[in-house]
Amino acid sequence: MAVRIFLSVCILFTLLTLSVADIKLIKDHNGDVPTNPEPCLRTCGGSTGYGKTTWEESFPGYLKTTIDISKCGFVATPIITTSLNGEYIWYQVGMSSPRDMTKSSFGITVVGEALTAWYPGTDTKISLAYADDYKWNINWIALGFTC
């Protein structure tokens, strides 16, 4: 599943960067019609690296990381889409919810496995060792303005 998501993100990134003329931002991060000129619109993406992500554990079962996007050169907070990659990532909560977004960074917090009607219980407690052992990383794409 994670591999499919990553490949989909890569394909989307490739398609978006083939022709700058085809990129159009209808609403910005604040939900407003952008006032920046369209030639300044940039799609930028990356990964924290398979097994290379620096995770922090604020308290048991609560992992977070901050992703530096300053090399994208955005002048305002972009729209950011993320996915969690690695092994044993199923049912994790928070992996696609960027927080504290700015023009130069954003954070991701993973808080453990979700309980669902078809997956009613779990005894897995995520930890720094769990994330490192299973090589968790964040893939991301950001769309924003550079001027």
Side-chain angles (χ1 to χ4, degrees):
M1 177 72 164
V3 173
R4 256 187 295 170
I5 291 172
F6 180 68
L7 289 175
S8 296
V9 167
C10 287
I11 290 169
L12 177 62
F13 180 75
T14 301
L15 291 174
L16 287 174
T17 56
L18 286 177
S19 174
V20 176
D22 289 340
I23 299 174
K24 184 167 184 79
L25 185 63
I26 306 300
K27 299 279 182 149
D28 65 14
H29 171 74
N30 297 312
D32 299 325
V33 174
T35 57
N36 305 67
E38 284 188 24
C40 298
L41 193 56
R42 174 175 289 166
T43 302
C44 186
S47 176
T48 57
Y50 190 73
K52 298 178 182 178
T53 304
T54 303
W55 294 98
E56 299 173 40
E57 188 172 30
S58 298
F59 48 89
Y62 184 98
L63 302 181
K64 65 182 182 176
T65 189
T66 300
I67 293 95
D68 180 1
I69 61 171
S70 60
K71 290 183 179 177
C72 294
F74 296 124
V75 295
T77 303
I79 295 173
I80 302 169
T81 302
T82 65
S83 66
L84 178 67
N85 187 35
E87 302 167 29
Y88 299 102
I89 59 168
W90 312 290
Y91 317 113
Q92 300 302 321
V93 178
M95 60 192 176
S96 61
S97 303
R99 61 167 170 73
D100 304 326
M101 297 180 295
T102 70
K103 65 183 181 179
S104 58
S105 68
F106 68 94
I108 290 286
T109 302
V110 180
V111 295
E113 293 183 347
L115 303 179
T116 66
W118 56 274
Y119 186 70
T122 179
D123 59 0
T124 303
K125 303 291 185 215
I126 63 170
S127 64
L128 290 173
Y130 191 88
D132 289 341
D133 289 348
Y134 295 117
K135 299 173 179 34
W136 287 4
N137 64 287
I138 301 298
N139 299 317
W140 57 272
I141 292 178
L143 177 65
F145 288 98
T146 57
C147 61

